Amino acid sequence: KNEVEQSPQNLTAQEGEFITINCSYSVGISALHWLQQHPGGGIVSLFMLSSGKKKHGRLIATINIQEKHSSLHITASHPRDSAVYICAVAPNNAGNMLTFGGGTRLMVKP
Amino acid sequence: DSGVTQTPKHLITATGQRVTLRCSPRSGDLSVYWYQQSLDQGLQFLIQYYNGEERAKGNILERFSAQQFPDLHSELNLSSLELGDSALYFCASRKGLAEGYNEQFFGPGTRLTVL
């Protein structure tokens, strides 16, 4: 079993829909990252969080440390949000080395 | 633009060859991480350097090695290349070492194709 599991693996939405991507992990962590990878391959860090909730524009990330679960929400989705979203955790005592989930491929149709 | 640069962007080579990938971290960042992203394995941590010293090792093959130079740029050397080494190689940088505190900034990646 992977240390980091994401669901769903693939997601297709209509423009304007509210989207949720889930991430569960099995180890103690010092931080969790949400990353976005566009078709060209480049990776952008969206959020790093260790508790609570963060918001940036239409993106919201939450984490529940006790339940070892995080969610990434996209409100009012747009075709430009189409990308692979990757959850990564920094296990405790691992020097911030990241362990990655398998990614969620999101396609938003106009 | 994350401020992390990687060269080359694309590299095509043959089995058995050796290549060097280069990464320049963001200004002021002392820590460099190397990651491999292949179709079957996803993203995997390879190795981390901090201020010139190796700090952590992940799933890095013995055929692969890395170093970080005094000017903080890093190189990842891949030798005796095999078809399965074809992948995207990313480096990322962050300021320090404190756990969970500094986010990592990713470079654009080097796409390696081994024929």
Side-chain angles (χ1 to χ4, degrees), chain A:
Chain A
K1 187 180 189 293
N2 290 338
E3 286 183 342
V4 185
E5 298 275 357
Q6 282 185 241
S7 63
Q9 280 187 301
N10 295 284
L11 183 54
T12 300
Q14 287 299 130
E15 184 173 355
E17 283 184 2
F18 180 84
I19 287 161
T20 296
I21 298 170
N22 295 300
C23 175
S24 295
Y25 53 93
S26 57
V27 296
I29 65 169
S30 54
L32 182 142
H33 299 247
W34 281 102
L35 310 170
Q36 180 191 55
Q37 186 171 29
H38 275 281
I43 293 176
V44 173
S45 178
L46 297 175
F47 295 103
M48 186 187 79
L49 59 166
S50 53
S51 65
K53 176 178 172 177
K54 284 190 178 179
K55 184 176 191 290
H56 182 70
R58 294 179 296 104
L59 301 179
I60 303 165
T62 64
I63 188 168
N64 185 318
I65 294 291
Q66 286 73 29
E67 293 186 5
K68 293 187 167 59
H69 181 269
S70 175
S71 292
L72 176 69
H73 305 286
I74 305 175
T75 62
S77 60
H78 190 275
R80 65 174 174 266
D81 297 326
S82 299
V84 176
Y85 292 84
I86 301 168
C87 169
V89 301
N92 285 330
N93 304 315
N96 207 254
M97 144 195 139
L98 296 179
T99 301
F100 298 88
T104 294
R105 187 174 298 275
L106 170 66
M107 178 179 295
V108 181
K109 294 185 175 177

Side-chain angles (χ1 to χ4, degrees), chain B residues 34-36 44-48 56-60 76 89:
Chain B
W34 284 99
Y35 299 97
Q36 178 194 56
Q44 290 192 99
F45 165 72
L46 295 178
I47 197 163
Q48 178 206 359
K57 242 177 176 173
N59 298 322
I60 187 166
L76 180 66
Y89 291 84

Side-chain angles (χ1 to χ4, degrees), chain B residues 6 21 34-37 46 64 76 78 81 84-91 108-112:
Chain B
Q6 287 187 249
L21 313 183
W34 284 99
Y35 299 97
Q36 178 194 56
Q37 185 179 37
L46 295 178
F64 296 0
L76 180 66
L78 316 176
L81 285 167
D85 298 327
S86 295
L88 262 172
Y89 291 84
F90 289 99
C91 80
T110 292
R111 185 175 296 277
L112 173 67

Side-chain angles (χ1 to χ4, degrees), chain B residues 11-30:
Chain B
L11 197 45
I12 301 174
T13 188
T15 55
Q17 296 298 305
R18 172 189 167 94
V19 297
T20 297
L21 313 183
R22 182 188 168 108
C23 168
S24 292
R26 290 187 327 153
S27 176
D29 285 0
L30 300 177

Side-chain angles (χ1 to χ4, degrees), chain B residues 65-109:
Chain B
S65 64
Q67 54 184 323
Q68 187 179 27
F69 295 86
D71 67 353
L72 301 177
H73 91 271
S74 178
E75 292 181 357
L76 180 66
N77 301 296
L78 316 176
S79 60
S80 303
L81 285 167
E82 302 176 359
L83 295 177
D85 298 327
S86 295
L88 262 172
Y89 291 84
F90 289 99
C91 80
S93 74
R94 66 189 277 258
K95 273 206 171 359
L97 281 180
E99 285 191 4
Y101 158 48
N102 302 135
E103 68 179 290
Q104 295 187 23
F105 294 87
F106 285 78

